[in-house]
Amino acid sequence: MARVDCFTSASFAYLDRARILFETLRRHHPDWRLWLCLVDEEPEGFTFRPEQELFDAVVRTEALGIEDLARFKFEHDVVELCTAVKGPMLCHLFGLGAEKVIYLDPDIAVFNTLAPVVELLDTHDIILTPHQIFPDETDMAIRDNEIGSMKYGIYNLGFLAVAARAEGIRFAQWWRDRLLAYCFDDLPSGLFTDQKWCDHVPGLFDQVKILRDPGYNVASWNLSRRPVDFDAEGNLLAGGALLRFFHFTKVTWVGELMLERYGGAHIAVFELLRWYRDRLAAHAVADLPEGWWAFGRFRDGQAITREQRLAFRHDRALRDAYPDPFSAGAAVFRHG
Amino acid sequence: MMNLAEQEDALRPHFDAIFYMAQNPDLRRNGATPLRHFLTDGWRERRNPTRWFDVDFYLRMNLDVAEAGMNPFLHYVLAGRREGRQASRLLDAEQRQMRSARAPSARAGEWAAVADMSAAQDVDFLASRLGDGDSAGILLAFSHDDYFGNYGGVQKQIGVEQTRFTQAGWRFLHVSPAAPLPVLAGPAREGFRVAVRLDGARLGVFLAGQVAALLGALRRAGRRVEAVIHHVMGWSPEAVAMMVDAAGTRPIFWAHDFFTLCPSYALMRNDVAFCGAPRLGANACGICVYGGDRLAQAERTDAFFRRMRPFVLAPSASAYAMWRRGGLEHAGHAVLPLGRLVFDAGAGPRPATERVRVAHLGARVLFKGWSVYEPLAQAFAADPRYAFYQLGVDGHTPRIGAIRHIPVQVDTTTPDAMIDAVARHRIDIVVSWSLWPETFCFAAHEALAGGAGLITHGEAGNVPALAGLAGEGRALVLSDVADLHAAFAEGRVVALANSVERAYGAVITAVGSADWLGIERTDVPMGAG
């Protein structure tokens, strides 16, 4: 049996979610090596104790060999940066000898074994899950789901599985390179973080498996065609298949609104949401300041705006002048 | 822009003043009419105008309405419903129920208020009360609470049993946890505190070890002791086993509900859906508020049954069939209904000119079928064929205008109050739509005894079997909620109401444990375990 390495990428604000991911993964896969790619730094007075967490190892962005890291961090917001590191992290794990690597978003919870994915990696190098695997039927659902995926990417990159064989490694290197240069939320330019890039995968690479099992990566965007319910034995099903993992995107009001829209006639999906909120409360990160992200502020504490990041991203002169824009402070953007 | 009077006119047919006032008791001394209050202040305070419209939800789902600062209910009535906008959350009743669901171990602290904290009595006091041997025997009865202070099916059964055993010359020694709990207590034995009633008289708190020693001594002195376990909730099963061992008898265990399978005794996952007690570790338990407590007590429950190998009495065949899925060891079983129906001669059919009076018997609680009955009444509120009632206690959820509430309180002093109320209010049809398999549904018996017809579904435990006994002219067993609505729409319900013979009757309560102990002596063959 090849070793399985599984990682997620998160800031401290998502550590509660990541804890649920690891807790549920551990239950089904005690033998996997679990990694947290940490895209954050500790605030003052906060101690992070990886040895008390449910993963095996933490990798910080500094360890990923990203050139010019301060500028890189500054030009990305939290979602962009947390997704941009996924490619470098995948290559990092391959560099450490990983044979089968699975990425899962921190807001995923695993409900049944992912052994079929591990098996598929014996015959395929890259596995992707499309947002939709059945055509939608109502105008609203087509707009929300199918057209939504044409904007944001056909495959949901909350999940990715790659084997360390020729095509898998070629993919990892290509993805890493693209993310280092173009991992932005910039829909008019045809970009959406790490995700939209993967629309190219079936065209650019061989040995690709498009996993069309309704039990994988169930979320608000595909609930309309994958009703969640229990069978008589108490198993969770999605679209009639065993629910492998559920993607709790935005357990805030927006996410709930989509569940309301597509949750259907079964209470089970609302029970899932209730359970997830309970687990979030149980895994709350103690002593973390509200809204904390180490790279969300200048060193003097002032919040970095989207405009400032964009200005830095596009203004060659600014980039040249400030190799560490965090230290430079907000003042340098005022006359830009 | 509509003025207030025009707004009132537009909303009046849809506004539920009864619900509004039940939901908002703080408005009772407010001078304005409920509708006027809703229009001027209520909706801004997120108060709902009916059970089926959720102001907060509508505003959050429809940002255009929120931004326009418009009364959301008015918007819905004038435009939103035509545009297909949603009036409230999906499965609103279930979602409300689920939000209040909590693990029983997390609720345990709240039970402290009912604990008897008094000092343990000297066991000699109990010994002196039990006397020195002039009785036919001592019946040691276990249950989860004081059957005098609380009222429900189990308590009623114990009361009946006490009378019967006392009449037969037995002493009736009832024990319950001095500190009742919604889960098993910690694994105490000798030191477990037990509240004791002897022949109905409360004697106070004793230590389980001392009671066990006393029972052992009495048995060795030649007294016959039998043990009946009605419930183990709140008990340390190790303490129960110790006391039963001292009595030197194989206990009877009553499967009144499914607590020994899961602390959700009606097997309601997250308090909203029947789960059927799947295998431990199933997904269902993983996301259920009862899952952790179920796991925590499973091993001790299993050990208890392996040690006791009790004889199981079930109040219905369906109850035993479900209970045995827990795989707990037992020496054998028998089905003994807690009561049976007897009828007077029929008084003839109802006056066909009247509306069919439809009722829910009991409290307005979800697992007893309220989440099905309330929307049913709303759906047919404007149908001139029907009038909807609830006979039972007030509370749990607010009343609604579509259902007339008739207060009925059944207790030891008024055991037939429900039957009388069904008859007095000339209820034609009782919808008995429990979401869990009732082990023995007194309310369904009371419905028939009150002269009403019965409507239920196939998964309601012993109720469909009762409907089968009652026969086609008195009962309908429907497949699901859609079928229920169809039966009301198509007139099958009116047809049933017209065919019911309106025979009044009574529910004769059985004295199961006493019967069984008597039967056992005459060597009637036992059922297989």
Side-chain angles (χ1 to χ4, degrees):
Chain A
M1 271 287 272
R3 188 177 111 179
V4 177
D5 289 82
C6 182
F7 78 100
T8 194
S9 161
S11 62
F12 282 123
Y14 262 50
L15 183 57
D16 52 355
R17 289 164 175 80
R19 284 171 172 169
I20 302 174
L21 170 68
F22 290 127
E23 172 183 66
T24 56
L25 261 175
R26 271 274 175 259
R27 196 167 300 145
H28 298 284
H29 298 287
D31 55 327
W32 287 11
R33 199 161 159 76
L34 306 182
W35 302 78
L36 171 69
C37 182
L38 179 62
V39 188
D40 211 340
E41 283 167 12
E42 290 84 339
E44 220 170 292
F46 172 86
T47 312
F48 180 47
R49 295 193 172 82
E51 69 281 3
Q52 293 178 5
E53 302 285 340
L54 292 164
F55 49 77
D56 298 297
V58 61
V59 175
R60 292 178 185 255
T61 43
E62 287 72 16
L64 295 176
I66 299 171
E67 279 177 32
D68 208 1
L69 189 58
R71 285 195 181 99
F72 187 76
K73 285 173 181 167
F74 194 86
E75 63 183 2
H76 294 87
D77 69 19
V78 64
V79 174
E80 292 166 341
L81 193 62
C82 284
T83 49
V85 298
K86 286 158 69 175
M89 180 71 183
L90 176 59
C91 292
H92 179 74
L93 291 176
F94 280 155
L96 294 176
E99 296 166 63
K100 294 178 174 179
V101 178
I102 293 172
Y103 170 82
L104 290 167
D105 263 356
D107 52 358
I108 278 171
V110 177
F111 292 100
N112 284 292
T113 177
L114 302 183
V117 167
V118 180
E119 248 175 69
L120 279 171
L121 284 177
D122 289 333
T123 49
H124 299 81
D125 288 13
I126 307 157
I127 305 175
L128 291 168
T129 49
H131 283 103
Q132 281 82 39
I133 57 170
F134 306 112
D136 260 306
E137 286 172 340
T138 68
D139 184 58
M140 185 164 66
I142 291 166
R143 284 168 189 274
D144 280 345
N145 301 333
E146 291 182 16
I147 296 178
S149 295
M150 287 160 78
K151 292 182 200 158
Y152 294 98
I154 295 300
Y155 309 101
N156 181 264
L157 263 290
F159 166 87
L160 172 70
V162 190
R165 285 190 302 271
E167 284 297 274
I169 290 168
R170 199 164 70 85
F171 159 75
Q173 288 168 346
W174 166 82
W175 198 42
R176 177 194 60 191
D177 293 348
R178 294 297 171 272
L179 300 189
L180 289 175
Y182 311 99
C183 186
F184 301 119
D185 177 353
D186 184 1
L187 295 185
S189 303
L191 298 177
F192 183 65
T193 62
D194 63 322
Q195 183 164 284
K196 194 93 192 279
W197 280 108
C198 287
D199 284 4
H200 281 303
V201 168
L204 297 178
F205 301 97
D206 281 329
Q207 305 301 325
V208 178
K209 171 69 183 177
I210 306 302
L211 183 54
R212 294 183 62 246
D213 182 318
Y216 292 82
N217 217 344
V218 184
S220 55
W221 55 75
N222 53 37
L223 261 181
S224 60
R225 302 305 317 272
R226 304 190 203 180
V228 170
D229 202 4
F230 289 96
D231 68 10
E233 278 73 50
N235 299 307
L236 271 165
L237 305 182
L242 199 58
L243 174 67
R244 306 291 174 162
F245 59 89
F246 194 94
H247 198 155
F248 291 89
T249 303
K250 299 190 185 94
V251 281
T252 56
W253 173 243
V254 182
E256 198 174 326
L257 188 146
M258 297 312 274
L259 291 185
E260 277 297 334
R261 214 171 255 186
Y262 299 116
H266 303 295
I267 191 69
V269 72
F270 300 104
E271 294 182 69
L272 276 184
L273 192 63
R274 185 203 191 285
W275 167 84
Y276 194 72
R277 288 196 171 121
D278 269 4
R279 296 316 298 156
L280 278 179
H283 285 309
V285 183
D287 305 324
L288 187 71
E290 181 76 24
W292 172 259
W293 185 45
F295 314 126
R297 294 175 185 280
F298 291 101
R299 214 137 279 149
D300 64 8
Q302 205 169 330
I304 299 165
T305 65
R306 176 102 185 133
E307 287 67 35
Q308 288 164 340
R309 289 194 196 278
L310 290 176
F312 190 77
R313 194 186 291 172
H314 298 302
D315 187 337
R316 197 80 230 167
L318 259 183
R319 294 179 65 89
D320 289 346
Y322 300 101
D324 181 1
F326 293 98
S327 302
V332 306
F333 293 92
R334 282 189 191 132
H335 310 290
Chain B
M1 188 73 187
M2 297 169 86
N3 66 32
L4 263 183
E6 288 165 340
Q7 292 182 24
E8 279 185 329
D9 288 343
L11 293 191
R12 192 168 290 114
H14 310 284
F15 184 78
D16 187 340
I18 289 172
F19 168 78
Y20 196 71
M21 295 311 286
Q23 175 84 315
N24 301 296
D26 58 309
L27 301 181
R28 278 186 198 144
R29 276 195 288 277
N30 186 293
T33 65
L35 178 52
R36 178 60 65 100
H37 179 272
F38 173 72
L39 283 167
T40 54
D41 302 296
W43 73 269
R44 288 192 178 85
E45 295 160 2
R46 299 293 195 266
R47 301 182 199 251
N48 293 333
T50 76
R51 168 51 92 207
W52 53 263
F53 188 87
D54 185 332
V55 168
D56 189 48
F57 174 85
Y58 198 78
L59 288 173
R60 292 212 278 170
M61 284 289 268
N62 300 287
L63 295 178
D64 55 334
V65 181
E67 277 158 20
M70 188 178 177
N71 180 326
F73 192 45
L74 195 63
H75 179 273
Y76 179 78
V77 167
L78 296 179
R81 58 179 168 161
R82 272 200 317 278
E83 296 161 7
R85 303 199 197 205
Q86 217 173 305
S88 63
R89 291 176 300 187
L90 294 166
L91 302 164
D92 190 44
E94 286 80 359
Q95 293 212 48
R96 264 185 278 121
Q97 180 79 43
M98 195 165 56
R99 280 188 191 185
S100 63
R102 287 162 65 213
S105 54
R107 284 187 270 119
E110 294 150 30
W111 288 50
V114 296
D116 184 341
M117 302 300 285
S118 59
Q121 306 271 340
D122 192 316
V123 76
D124 288 346
F125 171 51
L126 177 58
S128 69
R129 291 298 204 93
L130 275 169
D132 47 13
D134 54 351
S135 65
I138 299 167
L139 194 283
L140 174 64
F142 296 82
S143 75
H144 59 297
D145 64 9
D146 181 358
Y147 64 110
F148 271 66
N150 303 280
Y151 195 77
V154 178
Q155 294 88 342
K156 176 179 177 149
Q157 174 69 7
I158 296 170
V160 170
E161 244 178 46
Q162 182 209 312
T163 307
R164 166 68 179 267
F165 275 98
T166 304
Q167 283 167 353
W170 285 61
R171 307 302 302 275
F172 192 81
L173 180 63
H174 177 263
V175 287
S176 61
L181 285 174
V183 283
L184 290 181
R189 286 166 51 89
E190 285 82 359
F192 189 79
R193 286 165 52 82
V194 179
V196 172
R197 275 189 189 273
L198 182 61
D199 305 327
R202 176 138 197 165
L203 298 190
V205 175
F206 295 82
L207 296 180
Q210 296 192 351
V211 177
L214 173 62
L215 291 169
L218 291 168
R219 179 172 60 90
R220 285 188 294 276
R223 298 277 289 269
R224 181 181 174 194
V225 184
E226 297 288 353
V228 176
I229 303 165
H230 285 282
H231 221 290
V232 291
M233 187 166 82
W235 277 95
S236 155
E238 295 80 6
V240 176
M242 175 190 68
M243 293 168 77
V244 172
D245 281 349
T249 178
R250 182 193 299 284
I252 286 172
F253 179 88
W254 272 95
H256 288 298
D257 60 36
F258 307 116
F259 178 81
T260 48
L261 276 57
C262 176
S264 176
Y265 64 85
L267 303 180
M268 292 291 290
R269 193 184 64 237
N270 286 318
D271 290 344
V272 291
F274 177 68
C275 69
R279 68 183 162 78
L280 289 171
N283 285 156
C285 295
I287 67 151
C288 175
V289 294
Y290 293 94
D293 288 336
R294 182 185 185 210
L295 201 59
Q297 74 175 42
E299 201 175 306
R300 288 170 71 207
T301 303
D302 198 53
F304 174 76
F305 277 85
R306 267 187 278 120
R307 177 168 165 191
M308 294 278 99
R309 296 200 84 240
F311 193 86
V312 172
L313 293 182
S316 60
S318 60
Y320 178 71
M322 181 66 231
W323 184 86
R324 72 175 301 177
R325 280 161 66 174
L328 297 168
E329 273 194 38
H330 53 297
H333 83 278
V335 172
L336 290 187
L338 300 184
R340 63 191 168 86
L341 272 169
V342 290
F343 285 107
D344 247 341
R350 72 188 195 95
T353 50
E354 283 190 8
R355 284 173 182 245
V356 173
R357 298 181 177 204
V358 183
H360 167 94
L361 304 190
R364 298 193 288 265
V365 291
L366 180 136
F367 80 109
K368 291 285 185 179
W370 189 253
S371 61
V372 171
Y373 185 70
E374 194 182 64
L376 177 76
Q378 276 164 357
F380 292 91
D383 191 320
R385 294 174 293 175
Y386 304 111
F388 292 90
Y389 294 78
Q390 177 227 343
L391 277 56
V393 294
D394 209 350
H396 293 290
T397 70
R399 293 155 57 185
I400 64 165
I403 301 171
R404 186 176 156 202
H405 172 243
I406 293 172
V408 178
Q409 176 84 48
V410 182
D411 58 31
T412 39
T413 57
T414 55
D416 295 328
M418 187 61 83
I419 299 171
D420 295 343
V422 170
R424 194 169 60 252
H425 293 279
R426 290 184 283 116
I427 300 301
D428 299 304
I429 298 290
V430 165
V431 177
S432 180
W433 206 273
S434 277
L435 304 190
W436 75 297
E438 294 274 358
T439 54
F440 188 85
C441 183
F442 273 105
H445 286 76
E446 289 162 340
L448 291 167
L454 186 66
I455 293 182
T456 188
H457 63 104
E459 310 297 321
N462 79 315
V463 186
L466 178 68
L469 286 176
E472 274 183 20
R474 295 186 101 95
L476 270 181
V477 180
L478 301 173
S479 52
D480 54 23
V481 174
D483 194 20
L484 174 67
H485 280 247
F488 272 80
E490 295 160 2
R492 276 185 276 157
V493 173
V494 175
L496 174 65
N498 290 337
S499 75
V500 172
E501 259 298 298
R502 213 167 255 297
Y504 301 115
V507 183
I508 308 294
T509 44
V511 280
S513 308
D515 281 349
W516 185 254
L517 288 167
I519 289 164
E520 201 175 32
R521 282 197 299 269
T522 58
D523 294 317
V524 168
M526 294 180 182

